[in-house]
Amino acid sequence: MTASPSSSAQTAREVVAGRLRDLRKGAGLTVTELAAGCGWHHSKTSRIENARTAPSAGDIRRWCRAAGAEGLAEDLVAQSLHAESMYTEWRHQVRHGLKQLQNSSVAFFRQTELFRIYSSSLVPGLLQTEGYAAAVLKMSARFRDLPVDDSAEAARARVDRSRVIHERGHRFVLLIEEAVLHYRIGDADAMAAQLGYLLTAGALPAVSLGIIPTTASRTQWPRETFHVYDNSLVSVELVSARIRITQPSEIAVYTKAFEELRQTGVYGAAARGLIVKAIDALDDARSRR
């Protein structure tokens, strides 16, 4: 198994590997002796101890038995499974369809009080119109060669999920790059509807919509899209996977980056001005056709 691009996931793997190594050394066993007790080649022991190979639950149980520490096995199994769950490949997430992926987070959204979202590429899902969402999800279905394209149903589910912005008990601090307003997602009508909705949604009492102008003097370059849910979880979107970060020290890094990015954004009338500018540019492009 290759190392996760998430430092949190890799750190969690290394913690498990370190505990297994300590058990071996505490039992007075060499790498070769531990391997013989487990019934595998000594190179596998080295790979596990150096966090290059993730041990299976069976591997951990055999390791603990060989080291005379069977009572610690289930705790280590749970810790290892948590480390691996931090890196969730998209192909597993979408195996039941894009609609189910949207529905799977409804309860979690309702439990979250503070949403902090930074996006350098798309309008955040919570502010997407159905037409825009359908275009985004259709791209995803095509790119991932899904056997069933349920992007239209998934878009409706995404919009339904987004009704949380109208419910009490939540705050939404959303930050996008100005370029997001100009990336053409879907046809011109879908894009025009999306830009128009941003003017409305950005004025909601619970929503703070910031836009970082392309001309802003920056202290942070454009980052990967990430979502911070309260102070308990960060979700980072990559091409191949969604990374779930729960390590407090790394969540703190993302919240620091978010605050620095937020300080370069504009809000209120200035943000609406950038949206209107994008609408005008879209109208000009349509009129020249």
Side-chain angles (χ1 to χ4, degrees), residues 186-200:
D187 60 25
D189 289 341
M191 196 66 206
Q194 177 63 78
L195 292 172
Y197 180 65
L198 286 181
L199 291 173
T200 301

Side-chain angles (χ1 to χ4, degrees), residues 159-232:
V159 171
D160 287 342
R161 183 185 68 180
S162 299
R163 298 187 195 284
V164 70
I165 67 173
H166 300 286
E167 297 176 3
R168 290 186 176 184
H170 309 283
R171 289 190 298 127
F172 305 86
V173 185
L174 310 171
L175 186 63
I176 63 175
E177 299 286 344
E178 183 183 358
V180 169
L181 304 174
H182 297 275
Y183 293 144
R184 183 67 63 85
I185 304 297
D187 60 25
D189 289 341
M191 196 66 206
Q194 177 63 78
L195 292 172
Y197 180 65
L198 286 181
L199 291 173
T200 301
L204 293 171
V207 174
S208 170
L209 175 61
I211 302 173
I212 302 177
T214 55
T215 56
S217 178
R218 309 186 68 108
T219 58
Q220 289 276 334
W221 58 86
R223 299 291 191 172
E224 68 272 17
T225 292
F226 62 89
H227 302 66
V228 184
Y229 300 101
D230 292 326
N231 286 309
S232 59

Side-chain angles (χ1 to χ4, degrees), residues 30-195:
T30 66
V31 168
T32 301
E33 289 169 341
L34 188 284
C38 292
W40 60 55
H41 194 271
H42 64 81
S43 63
K44 178 174 178 177
T45 300
S46 296
R47 291 196 305 273
I48 290 174
E49 288 193 353
N50 288 289
R52 291 196 299 269
T53 295
S56 68
D59 291 340
I60 292 173
R61 293 185 181 107
R62 290 163 75 179
W63 189 298
C64 290
R65 185 163 54 249
E70 289 184 80
L72 299 177
E74 296 312 311
D75 178 59
L76 281 168
V77 167
Q79 191 172 0
S80 180
L81 290 174
H82 172 69
E84 295 311 305
S85 72
M86 294 171 71
Y87 182 82
T88 307
E89 294 184 8
W90 278 111
R91 68 172 178 268
H92 296 309
Q93 290 200 21
V94 301
R95 67 184 182 274
H96 298 302
L98 293 169
K99 180 181 178 181
Q100 182 162 325
L101 183 61
Q102 308 303 309
N103 290 335
S104 65
S105 57
V106 170
F108 176 72
F109 275 25
R110 286 181 173 155
Q111 294 166 4
T112 301
E113 295 181 2
L114 175 61
F115 295 75
R116 284 168 287 184
I117 300 172
Y118 165 76
S119 179
S120 56
S121 55
L122 292 171
V123 171
L126 284 167
L127 298 184
Q128 288 179 9
T129 60
E130 188 173 327
Y132 186 97
V136 170
L137 293 166
K138 191 169 188 64
M139 288 182 195
S140 181
R142 179 198 58 78
F143 181 72
R144 302 181 195 291
D145 296 321
L146 298 185
V148 176
D149 179 1
D150 63 346
S151 54
E153 294 86 351
R156 287 193 289 273
R158 175 169 290 185
V159 171
D160 287 342
R161 183 185 68 180
S162 299
R163 298 187 195 284
V164 70
I165 67 173
H166 300 286
E167 297 176 3
R168 290 186 176 184
H170 309 283
R171 289 190 298 127
F172 305 86
V173 185
L174 310 171
L175 186 63
I176 63 175
E177 299 286 344
E178 183 183 358
V180 169
L181 304 174
H182 297 275
Y183 293 144
R184 183 67 63 85
I185 304 297
D187 60 25
D189 289 341
M191 196 66 206
Q194 177 63 78
L195 292 172

